[in-house]
Amino acid sequence: AQSVTQLDSQVPVFEEAPVELRCNYSSSVSVYLFWYVQYPNQGLQLLLKYLSGSTLVKGINGFEAEFNKSQTSFHLRKPSVHISDTAEYFCAVSLMNTGFQKLVFGTGTRLLVSP
Amino acid sequence: GAVVSQHPSRVICKSGTSVKIECRSLDFQATTMFWYRQFPKQSLMLMATSNEGSKATYEQGVEKDKFLINHASLTLSTLTVTSAHPEDSSFYICSARGGQGDLSYEQYFGPGTRLTVT
């Protein structure tokens, strides 16, 4: 079965510090990978995606992620966070055996940025 | 571009009544729309996938007679929660897909609808 694991349910960090949000997946078929951000009582906004090509992907708001096939990981990073980055972050995969149609989400990581 | 709206944003209804939630793609044609359910502090669970003009495909465990989905046009899909009960209270989010090339793999999400059944 395919799954997405976000090991950290909550990550507290001080403003201007670096942060890494971890995401691992398991799949026997090729995947596309996504990171979404959700602010309170809102829908999801795409931060970045990996479909193919360079394994280092840059997204919006200064975020980047690196696809590591051997470790089946797609960790999200930001070198210096802002208070406004406080939100819920979801890692998601879409699978080749569904034609990359459906998204399977991880359980989410709440990033808490304090002054 | 790629804006998806949902209406209403919040709805409170009495147990036993039905509620309709609309999902619209405002600036693109959505060949496929998805409906998700999100419980507090939890992830999104896919309920069903709908393609314009055809019946929705429901995920395992989702009651198709309770959650009626209609995708009548390339810009509108509706989710009707029939005979709602308190356990149906949740945050319902739709997404739409309709780009070309690499964009066809992206889903654009609506802002969600919070349903409370009393």
Side-chain angles (χ1 to χ4, degrees), chain B residues 5-25:
Chain B
S5 70
Q6 277 184 247
H7 177 79
S9 57
R10 289 177 177 270
V11 58
I12 300 173
C13 71
K14 292 188 176 182
S15 186
T17 62
S18 295
V19 174
K20 180 184 284 188
I21 302 170
E22 291 187 350
C23 176
R24 294 182 184 272
S25 58

Side-chain angles (χ1 to χ4, degrees), chain B residues 5-57:
Chain B
S5 70
Q6 277 184 247
H7 177 79
S9 57
R10 289 177 177 270
V11 58
I12 300 173
C13 71
K14 292 188 176 182
S15 186
T17 62
S18 295
V19 174
K20 180 184 284 188
I21 302 170
E22 291 187 350
C23 176
R24 294 182 184 272
S25 58
L26 298 185
D27 52 2
F28 68 103
Q29 293 186 323
T31 52
T32 306
M33 287 185 167
F34 304 84
W35 286 96
Y36 296 84
R37 186 173 180 176
Q38 185 180 30
F39 291 102
K41 301 187 186 302
Q42 294 188 29
S43 189
L44 280 74
M45 300 299 295
L46 179 65
M47 299 175 65
T49 303
S50 72
N51 293 295
E52 185 264 341
S54 61
K55 289 185 178 180
T57 301

Side-chain angles (χ1 to χ4, degrees), chain B residues 84-98:
Chain B
H85 290 100
E87 57 266 30
D88 298 324
S89 298
S90 191
F91 195 49
Y92 292 88
I93 303 175
C94 74
S95 71
R97 192 172 56 83

Side-chain angles (χ1 to χ4, degrees), chain A residues 38 43 49 101-102 105-106, chain B residues 38 43 59 97 106-107 110-111:
Chain A
Q38 184 181 34
K49 64 184 178 188
Q101 302 291 304
K102 298 181 183 180
F105 285 88
Chain B
Q38 185 180 30
S43 189
E59 295 299 301
R97 192 172 56 83
E106 281 191 38
Q107 292 183 26

Side-chain angles (χ1 to χ4, degrees), chain A residues 83-96:
Chain A
I83 297 286
S84 59
D85 292 323
T86 295
E88 190 83 19
Y89 291 80
F90 291 98
C91 180
V93 302
S94 61
L95 307 168
M96 186 177 74

Side-chain angles (χ1 to χ4, degrees), chain A residues 1-42:
Chain A
Q2 296 82 12
S3 67
V4 180
T5 302
Q6 292 181 248
L7 291 172
D8 305 304
S9 60
Q10 189 166 291
V11 173
V13 64
F14 289 110
E15 192 175 19
E16 298 184 7
V19 70
E20 179 179 82
L21 305 183
R22 295 180 292 171
C23 174
N24 288 85
Y25 68 92
S26 66
S27 174
S28 56
V29 300
S30 295
V31 299
Y32 290 164
L33 297 153
F34 304 82
W35 274 100
Y36 287 89
V37 60
Q38 184 181 34
Y39 298 100
N41 295 311
Q42 295 186 28

